[in-house]
Amino acid sequence: MQNCGFGWQNIVLWPHVSLGASAQASGLPVTNLKNQQGATSLGWRAPGTSAVLTIANVAGAKWQAISLHRTNLSATATWRIRTGSINSWWGVDWHTDWTGPCNVANGQCVFILPSIATDERCEITITDTANPDGFLSVPLIYAGPLFQPVRNFSTSSTAGNNLGQDTVTTLGGSEFVSGRWYQRKLSIVHDSLGDADAAVLDQVLQAAVTGQNILFVPDPSATTDVLAQKSLFGTLSGGDLSNPYGPADRHSLTLNLTERL
């Protein structure tokens, strides 16, 4: 088991990054992936059941976590992830090349590279021949490095949900419920942050306050099915940083992460 990871340096959002797709629907282009909303009406849609997404023009970029969120991918979807750099002689030198099942859970799939790849581009090929919609919908994506504190988060952390319901109650007390949305949330308690870790998390919160989504991975070494089940991508807020151990280099901080819908 590895220490938890926070993905906050999303390369997709960098101003000079180039986003390309082998297919895109009119009005739902791949550039919508720069949007922080998880609505399907604001995402990238590719007609058909296979498409290639390319994130390029980012010299020296560090790729470690790749994740898709709020998707319509089916249980049998697969993806291929490659990272590489342009070679003036023969095109792209691919340094990372991985293919496997998406293992979609909660509409998301997550992959953590075995080691950080420093490359100019990342190419993601999604194949979902059994998709009943006949198209691929990807509203949110994270692609970039993970920050892992020196020590792991506390077991006193909790997971919960927000339920969106409309309930009509009759005069006789009968209730008729219409479910609208289900939103996961985490309370991430960390009781042993060093000074350096606390400084980075302060930067993470400064990014989050702008509305940027943050990826939280409880265990980056987990299998892809567990990564999809347990990881969360959404809005982050934090409480006060405290010093429960006096002058020791140990700080306590509670972060609240809510899934972006």
Side-chain angles (χ1 to χ4, degrees):
M1 181 176 181
Q2 293 184 11
N3 290 352
C4 64
F6 294 85
W8 65 285
Q9 296 170 305
N10 195 347
I11 296 170
V12 173
L13 304 180
W14 292 8
H16 59 280
V17 72
S18 172
L19 296 179
S22 61
Q24 56 187 11
S26 176
L28 294 169
V30 70
T31 51
N32 277 0
L33 292 177
K34 289 181 175 289
N35 193 326
Q36 295 298 285
Q37 303 299 323
T40 56
S41 60
L42 298 172
W44 165 50
R45 178 175 296 184
T49 56
S50 183
V52 181
L53 165 67
T54 303
I55 309 164
N57 193 33
V58 280
K62 298 186 182 301
W63 312 92
Q64 185 178 8
I66 309 294
S67 60
L68 311 176
H69 306 271
R70 310 295 298 166
T71 75
N72 72 333
L73 300 181
S74 73
T76 59
T78 62
W79 56 345
R80 180 185 187 186
I81 297 170
R82 300 198 292 178
T83 68
S85 297
I86 293 291
N87 184 300
S88 58
W89 293 98
W90 56 75
V92 180
D93 282 334
W94 296 110
H95 303 135
T96 301
D97 193 339
W98 176 88
T99 301
C102 290
N103 285 321
V104 179
N106 304 304
Q108 64 185 17
C109 45
V110 183
F111 179 72
I112 308 298
L113 276 67
S115 59
I116 297 175
T118 303
D119 278 309
E120 178 268 339
R121 65 178 52 212
C122 177
E123 181 184 277
I124 304 168
T125 303
I126 308 167
T127 303
D128 191 9
T129 55
N131 194 304
D133 295 330
F135 60 81
L136 306 178
S137 177
V138 181
L140 295 172
I141 182 174
Y142 179 83
L146 284 179
F147 161 65
Q148 294 178 261
V150 173
R151 288 168 291 277
N152 214 356
F153 67 105
S154 171
T155 55
S156 63
S157 302
T158 60
N161 57 72
N162 296 321
L163 301 178
Q165 303 175 316
D166 289 336
T167 303
V168 177
T169 305
T170 69
L171 293 176
S174 299
E175 294 182 340
F176 296 86
V177 179
S178 296
R180 300 301 182 188
W181 42 266
Y182 180 94
Q183 184 180 50
R184 297 180 300 144
K185 62 180 181 179
L186 296 175
S187 177
I188 307 164
V189 180
H190 206 304
D191 289 329
S192 191
L193 291 169
D195 289 340
D197 290 336
V200 176
L201 283 176
D202 185 61
Q203 296 179 57
V204 175
L205 287 167
Q206 289 183 46
V209 78
T210 66
Q212 178 181 321
N213 295 316
I214 306 298
L215 175 67
F216 178 71
V217 182
D219 178 12
S221 65
T223 57
T224 54
D225 56 332
V226 175
L227 287 171
Q229 293 167 10
K230 300 298 184 180
S231 299
L232 198 69
F233 190 59
T235 56
L236 183 73
S237 62
D240 294 337
L241 185 72
S242 64
N243 301 282
Y245 308 110
D249 184 18
R250 298 290 186 274
H251 308 287
S252 180
L253 178 67
T254 298
L255 299 167
N256 297 304
L257 184 62
T258 304
E259 185 177 23
R260 195 63 174 262
L261 301 181

